[in-house]
Amino acid sequence: MSESLAPRAAALDAADELAGARKLFALDDAVYLDGNSLGALPAHVPDRIADVVTRQWGQLRIRSWTEGDWWTAPERIGDRIAPLVGAAPGRIVVGDSTSVNVFKAVVGAVRLNPDPARTDVLVDATTFPTDGYIAESAARMTGRRIVPVAPGELAGALGPATAAVLLNHVDYRSGRLHDLPSLTAAVHEAGALAVWDLCHSAGALPVGLDAHGVDLAVGCTYKYLNGGPGSPAYLYVAQRHQAAFDSPLPGWTSHEDPFAMSHAYTPAGGAVRGRVGTPDILSMLALEAALDVWDGVSIDTVRAKSLALTDFFLECVAAYVPEGRVTSLTPAAHAERGSQIALRCDEAPRVMDELIARGVIGDLRRPDVLRFGFTPLYVGFADAERAARVLAEVLSEQPRD
């Protein structure tokens, strides 16, 4: 192993303007590099949820729908997420899972582009599997054809038959960042609508939904937004589409007059029509509390630290790990990198087990990918150096019997 990079890590941490955010989270001595699967717990959330359970639910009971503002939570929390993805208020509604929102968005996009000559729904061929499953089902149900396309080949696949395109902003496996502005522009040039999955980008880098003319977008909140396991996802509907957006899952809470209990459905105005049923209040209010850690934080500052962290981690890997033992699958170019590093390793299952046993928490993507997520609010440069050093130690050892 070459000379230690620990002193450099300490200097970088001392100069880090986000270093103070770390104390807002409930962390132990482990290096937690799996926030791209499940974000760490903001330390104040348990007390906030205790109040929701004991006072709001336990004492106010049904009155909390109004006195506790439970009813407005999906739009209110959507407005708090909006600045993190470059959206104006009133364009995001929180609720349901990412999968359910992908279904709403893809079907809604096809219904916004109903020309029968537009027979195709294009989907990123490298997408997270569920997105592909949902898109294929949505295409069948709308009488369209699903067309898997490699992200680099999208421009050549677009044409007069394209109705909608579903794309991931950051590839969940490799960490590759796709060019949202140029791909959205290409989709629009072809007369189609762009639907983006932001699960691996929201809270890690600027998105610019409004600025880049995205039509519809979805995302989860339990990764970089730290909303907790199974926290509700969100749906973005561009202002220009809201009046015509036709959700395939109309529900009583998206009715213009929910408590009229009318048998005739009339959708509410705005993104609210993306609601379906009764909000999942406990997890939704945990998410709302978790979003407090973003108060006063610039997403541009987060992005700058993310790139510096991943650069430094790759530098440490190159310095510590013997040549040829791992290969980065994540692009080196900043414009093509999300906030994770994926390393191909022949011994990946053994290596990740050993890393976790030694307090470096990443995750495995079978058969041979070690995946490390860097959440700038609570991951520091010393964490990156330690992770690379322990990785080198593990790789230097023989497999256990």
Side-chain angles (χ1 to χ4, degrees), residues 28-271:
D28 52 24
D29 292 333
V31 176
Y32 189 62
L33 301 181
D34 208 5
N36 53 334
S37 287
L38 177 64
L41 171 69
H44 67 286
V45 168
D47 287 344
R48 190 79 60 84
I49 292 307
D51 176 73
V52 172
V53 171
T54 59
R55 183 181 65 84
Q56 297 182 36
W57 180 13
Q59 297 173 20
L60 293 178
R61 294 181 287 273
I62 196 70
R63 290 158 51 201
S64 284
W65 284 105
T66 53
E67 294 181 31
D69 292 326
W70 286 2
W71 182 254
T72 62
E75 304 89 75
R76 183 177 72 244
I77 301 171
D79 284 348
R80 294 194 65 185
I81 292 172
L84 300 177
V85 292
R91 298 179 189 181
I92 292 179
V93 65
V94 173
D96 306 310
S97 67
T98 307
S99 300
V100 171
N101 283 308
V102 169
F103 179 73
K104 296 177 199 172
V106 174
V107 174
V110 172
R111 289 179 174 177
L112 285 165
N113 203 4
D115 183 350
R118 293 193 173 271
T119 57
D120 296 347
V121 174
L122 275 54
V123 62
D124 179 353
T126 63
T127 190
F128 188 75
T130 297
D131 281 21
Y133 307 155
I134 295 290
E136 197 278 333
S137 178
R140 285 202 317 271
M141 293 178 65
T142 56
R144 301 308 195 268
R145 179 179 68 133
I146 197 75
V147 180
V149 179
E153 300 173 1
L154 178 67
L158 291 165
T162 308
V165 182
L166 173 63
L167 293 162
N168 286 270
H169 197 191
V170 174
D171 184 279
Y172 79 100
R173 186 177 173 87
S174 70
R176 176 180 290 276
L177 172 64
H178 296 139
D179 189 343
L180 181 147
S182 67
L183 289 174
T184 300
V187 170
H188 289 167
E189 181 67 22
L193 277 76
V195 180
W196 285 90
D197 182 329
L198 309 178
C199 285
H200 287 271
S201 59
L205 53 92
V207 178
L209 292 178
D210 286 350
H212 301 306
V214 169
D215 299 293
L216 298 138
V218 303
C220 68
T221 61
Y222 47 80
K223 301 183 191 295
Y224 296 106
L225 298 182
N226 311 299
S231 57
Y234 56 90
L235 171 70
Y236 164 88
V237 182
Q239 179 69 35
R240 64 187 179 280
H241 293 312
Q242 289 184 359
F245 177 68
D246 182 8
S247 173
L249 295 173
W252 75 282
T253 65
S254 63
H255 195 284
E256 69 170 1
D257 187 1
F259 295 98
M261 299 299 170
S262 170
H263 291 289
Y265 180 72
T266 304

Side-chain angles (χ1 to χ4, degrees), residues 15-35:
D16 174 21
E17 62 182 290
L18 290 176
R22 186 182 180 103
K23 68 179 183 296
L24 302 177
F25 293 86
L27 298 167
D28 52 24
D29 292 333
V31 176
Y32 189 62
L33 301 181
D34 208 5

